[in-house]
Amino acid sequence: MRMLLVGVALVMMTSAAMTSSAVADDDDTKGAQKLAQQGRDDYWHCLAREYSRESNQGLSERDFGRSVAGACPSERQYYRVTLLDYLTTQYPDIDAGAHLATANRAVEAAQKDIVMAFVKHRPPQK
């Protein structure tokens, strides 16, 4: 149940960013958006698996944060690359560095959200 709630919260976070812009008629943009959404979902599912790993349940917030930062490297990179591609396709006049910064912030936000969920749902210290 916790994993489902975390997944829902994470999906909602960047869904607004990806769907709030006007939907372009261009097939390339639609394809890039679909890939970015799939990359996001894959990364968040991987983070949810990390969240629910039994070996992580006794970790401090700091240690869990480190664990999450190193988890899911291929999913994280795929999400970053597909989001960067979508942003570049949707907003070609904006500097690529700005798009990369946005993609990096999206990855960081997903990591922060999973850590916050971990802290909120952890049993109290005895």
Side-chain angles (χ1 to χ4, degrees):
M1 179 69 173
R2 273 190 278 170
M3 190 165 74
L4 178 61
L5 291 175
V6 170
V8 168
L10 293 173
V11 168
M12 289 174 54
M13 187 181 97
T14 58
S15 290
M18 287 187 194
T19 58
S20 65
S21 63
V23 178
D25 291 329
D26 184 44
D27 287 338
D28 290 339
T29 302
K30 287 180 182 179
Q33 182 181 20
K34 185 175 180 176
L35 288 175
Q37 288 171 333
Q38 183 62 50
R40 175 202 63 204
D41 292 348
D42 290 348
Y43 184 50
W44 286 341
H45 286 121
C46 185
L47 290 177
R49 285 191 303 273
E50 186 72 15
Y51 171 88
S52 61
R53 281 184 41 207
E54 190 67 35
S55 62
N56 286 331
Q57 298 311 309
L59 295 179
S60 67
E61 177 180 350
R62 184 176 181 178
D63 289 340
F64 182 72
R66 284 189 201 134
S67 176
V68 165
C72 312
S74 61
E75 291 88 347
R76 179 179 59 241
Q77 184 63 12
Y78 182 71
Y79 176 37
R80 181 181 289 121
V81 168
T82 57
L83 183 54
L84 181 61
D85 183 50
Y86 168 70
L87 292 170
T88 302
T89 303
Q90 183 71 19
Y91 307 103
D93 297 332
I94 295 177
D95 178 61
H99 291 319
L100 181 58
T102 299
N104 286 335
R105 282 192 304 272
V107 167
E108 291 168 7
Q111 292 172 356
K112 181 180 176 184
D113 283 350
I114 200 77
V115 170
M116 293 308 298
F118 176 81
V119 170
K120 286 181 180 180
H121 294 101
R122 160 173 82 179
Q125 298 282 331
K126 293 183 181 184

